[in-house]
Amino acid sequence: MAEDAVALKNKGNDAFKAKDWPTAIEYYTKAIDLNDKEPSFFTNRAQANIKLEAYGYAIADATKAIEINPDFIKAYYRRAVANTSILKHSDAIHDWKVVVRKNPADKTAKAQYEACQKMVKRDAFLKAIEIADAPSAAEGLDLENMIVEDSYDGAKLKDEMTQEFIDDMIERFKNGKKLHKKYVFQIILAVKELVYNEATMVETKVAPDHKLTVCGDTHGQYFDLLEIFRLNGFPSEKHGYLFNGDFVDRGSWSCEIALLLYAYKMLFPKFFFLNRGNHETDDMNRMYGFEGECKAKYNERVFKLFSESFSALPLATLIGDKYLTLHGGLFSDDAITLDDIRKLNRHNQRQPGQAGLMMEMLWTDPQTAPGRGPSKRGVGLQFGPDVTKRFCEKNGLEAVIRSHEVRMEGYEVEHDGRCITVFSAPKYCDSTENKGAYINIESDYKLQFNKFDAVPHPDIKPMAYANNGMSSMMGM
């Protein structure tokens, strides 16, 4: 029995090395079923869960390993990483402290402990200075008199976005060049106003001879975004796109993706749609790199303006009265309807918080079991096929389309066809061997699924701009 369990663990390790995290978890779970007294089985599964961003499950596994062996340092390490990842710094700090005490020579753990202490202090500071109606970062920004130097070698942007400017921008970004700050400010401010004036749930139809493409998370993987456009066609008045949140963070071209998507929104405001994701939020941007990237490539004001524009984004898009598209998923209460989403005043609440409709729309995940369950992430909740069925029937929907999670094939159809996950960041974070996917919808409203592979990109690692030690944790 013990030998069989070790053999299964080794198969899990092989899958882990191949960056196939779901298969690794399957084998570790089988090993645990045979022998639930071996702490390393739990910490191995915790690490695979961390790779899948199932931080709640990782915390549970690490806790179990600590119960079996309170001196098992790796378990404290894993639990600290998982708690840090979901911004529970005050929980993580206790485990980092244990690791440092038990293994004082571990420099990485020491750096994490110090970074965590800083995060706890910063969280307290930000809470203390929070102002409900803080002035906009646009105040005092004199765009009209901002000079674009003669030495600037890019296309010029006047009052209206042009295809010529976008084409030039795509090439600039490919070559590692930046936009002039004036144009960055101009684009963000224009899109902030556009999306602010859209409904919380945008409602759109696909006209004959038109097409709408739904994309999931792109997470700063700019070169993979261009691959979608290369394979599937660039946005136009006849070919709309909907990007379903998580444009930024993790990947190291988040500024480039956000600016390109915003430029297309300016050019085709009625055919190009953007839903907010859980990474279009301040606390995630501070942790996962976007804030650091904005400061490194432009300045802090650019980040603050992006933050304001993110909080103005719609939370959902209803396609042809058939498909509700939102980043996370469904709700803790069966009574919620499309009308409740329509009525939600997202402008009253800039950040999603720990509870409520906005948080659930950005954070929840499907589960295979009926009913509702605690979130594997440690944030939000999970909803079963019966919850999805009732919601779709009550609201006259064919399905819910959501993103928010890696799928090894780029997409997955679950809950008897009523819950569809689409994820558009292939080889996610350079560390998962997943495909990307996108969905084409024409006027017959049939879903056409398309998979694609990652393309090469310049040698800049994911999380390159995360300034809190998260990048060093990526490899743990």
Side-chain angles (χ1 to χ4, degrees), residues 301-455:
R301 192 176 212 167
V302 165
F303 171 68
K304 286 184 169 168
L305 286 172
F306 263 128
S307 165
E308 290 175 26
S309 71
F310 289 165
S311 66
L313 287 167
L315 301 178
T317 303
L318 182 63
I319 303 169
D321 298 322
K322 291 176 184 291
Y323 303 106
L324 174 67
T325 309
L326 73 176
H327 182 70
L330 296 180
F331 309 100
S332 55
D333 184 349
D334 274 349
I336 299 298
T337 65
L338 294 181
D339 264 347
D340 292 304
I341 302 174
R342 285 187 185 101
K343 288 179 203 151
L344 177 65
N345 184 349
R346 69 191 188 278
H347 302 312
N348 281 346
Q349 182 187 349
R350 288 200 47 196
Q351 303 302 323
Q354 297 297 309
L357 218 56
M358 186 193 289
M359 183 280 288
E360 291 176 1
M361 292 174 77
L362 300 186
W363 275 101
T364 60
D365 296 295
Q367 63 181 24
T368 51
R372 293 176 174 86
S375 169
K376 62 188 173 189
R377 295 173 189 272
V379 183
L381 62 114
Q382 294 182 180
F383 57 94
D386 55 330
V387 175
T388 306
K389 181 173 188 276
R390 287 193 296 271
F391 182 83
C392 287
E393 286 175 354
K394 186 176 188 177
N395 292 285
L397 297 171
E398 283 192 23
V400 172
I401 299 175
R402 41 90 63 184
S403 302
H404 194 39
E405 289 181 282
V406 179
R407 290 292 189 260
M408 295 309 283
E409 291 301 307
Y411 74 95
E412 189 175 358
V413 180
E414 309 170 71
H415 292 187
D416 303 314
R418 290 185 180 272
C419 180
I420 292 137
T421 299
V422 59
F423 191 83
S424 306
K427 202 167 186 186
Y428 179 46
C429 287
D430 289 350
S431 68
T432 302
E433 291 300 329
N434 64 295
K435 293 186 182 302
Y438 50 89
I439 305 170
N440 283 327
I441 305 173
E442 293 176 13
S443 56
D444 61 0
Y445 293 103
K446 299 278 183 280
L447 302 182
Q448 303 158 33
F449 296 98
N450 300 269
K451 298 190 282 192
F452 68 104
D453 292 310
V455 293

Side-chain angles (χ1 to χ4, degrees), residues 82-141:
N83 270 315
T84 302
S85 301
I86 53 173
L87 315 180
K88 292 188 174 174
H89 305 300
S90 47
D91 290 337
I93 204 163
H94 300 298
D95 287 333
W96 288 126
K97 195 174 184 178
V98 172
V99 175
V100 170
R101 193 178 72 238
K102 287 178 182 287
N103 193 359
D106 188 332
K107 286 179 182 166
T108 307
K110 193 162 187 281
Q112 287 301 332
Y113 179 45
E114 287 167 2
C116 198
Q117 286 175 307
K118 281 182 192 160
M119 297 297 270
V120 169
K121 281 178 188 159
R122 192 184 70 174
D123 289 349
F125 173 72
L126 288 169
K127 202 163 183 58
I129 62 163
E130 215 170 69
I131 307 165
D133 294 314
S136 168
E139 275 194 21
L141 192 60

Side-chain angles (χ1 to χ4, degrees), residues 139-356:
E139 275 194 21
L141 192 60
D142 184 5
L143 276 186
E144 277 184 31
N145 293 311
M146 202 176 277
I147 304 293
V148 177
E149 300 78 6
D150 292 340
S151 58
Y152 181 70
D153 61 351
K156 305 290 189 279
L157 180 60
K158 300 215 164 39
D159 294 333
E160 302 288 323
M161 181 55 67
T162 64
Q163 188 64 56
E164 178 208 6
F165 185 87
I166 290 179
D167 294 343
D168 179 72
M169 179 187 205
I170 288 171
E171 290 306 312
R172 285 188 79 71
F173 290 163
K174 265 198 228 170
N175 297 322
K177 292 181 173 183
K178 293 183 290 211
L179 286 189
H180 193 280
K181 252 188 279 218
K182 174 175 180 170
Y183 301 147
V184 173
F185 289 137
Q186 198 175 332
I187 290 167
I188 301 172
L189 289 172
V191 172
K192 178 185 160 190
E193 186 177 354
L194 276 173
V195 297
Y196 187 95
N197 291 319
E198 289 183 319
T200 295
M201 181 176 75
V202 172
E203 302 184 42
T204 188
K205 291 185 162 50
V206 185
D209 300 322
H210 285 61
K211 179 162 70 174
L212 178 66
T213 300
V214 181
C215 297
D217 305 31
T218 47
H219 272 306
Q221 295 185 198
Y222 176 72
F223 294 86
D224 296 315
L225 171 64
L226 295 188
E227 179 70 354
I228 295 174
F229 292 151
R230 185 187 75 78
L231 292 168
N232 192 51
F234 284 82
S236 69
E237 290 194 347
K238 286 202 157 187
H239 185 176
Y241 274 83
L242 163 57
F243 283 84
N244 194 28
D246 283 14
F247 330 125
V248 301
D249 280 339
R250 296 191 180 275
S252 293
W253 289 271
S254 293
C255 287
E256 287 77 6
I257 283 198
L259 287 167
L260 181 56
L261 296 184
Y262 274 24
Y264 273 124
K265 180 67 184 169
M266 275 180 82
L267 188 61
F268 302 118
K270 296 281 185 280
F271 305 100
F272 197 90
F273 306 100
L274 300 168
N275 283 345
R276 189 177 190 179
N278 66 303
H279 277 267
E280 280 71 53
T281 55
D282 286 356
D283 51 2
M284 299 301 273
N285 295 160
R286 287 189 194 110
M287 192 73 181
Y288 287 97
F290 184 56
E291 180 184 46
E293 186 181 332
C294 285
K295 287 176 177 175
K297 291 178 179 173
Y298 298 101
N299 59 27
E300 186 172 15
R301 192 176 212 167
V302 165
F303 171 68
K304 286 184 169 168
L305 286 172
F306 263 128
S307 165
E308 290 175 26
S309 71
F310 289 165
S311 66
L313 287 167
L315 301 178
T317 303
L318 182 63
I319 303 169
D321 298 322
K322 291 176 184 291
Y323 303 106
L324 174 67
T325 309
L326 73 176
H327 182 70
L330 296 180
F331 309 100
S332 55
D333 184 349
D334 274 349
I336 299 298
T337 65
L338 294 181
D339 264 347
D340 292 304
I341 302 174
R342 285 187 185 101
K343 288 179 203 151
L344 177 65
N345 184 349
R346 69 191 188 278
H347 302 312
N348 281 346
Q349 182 187 349
R350 288 200 47 196
Q351 303 302 323
Q354 297 297 309

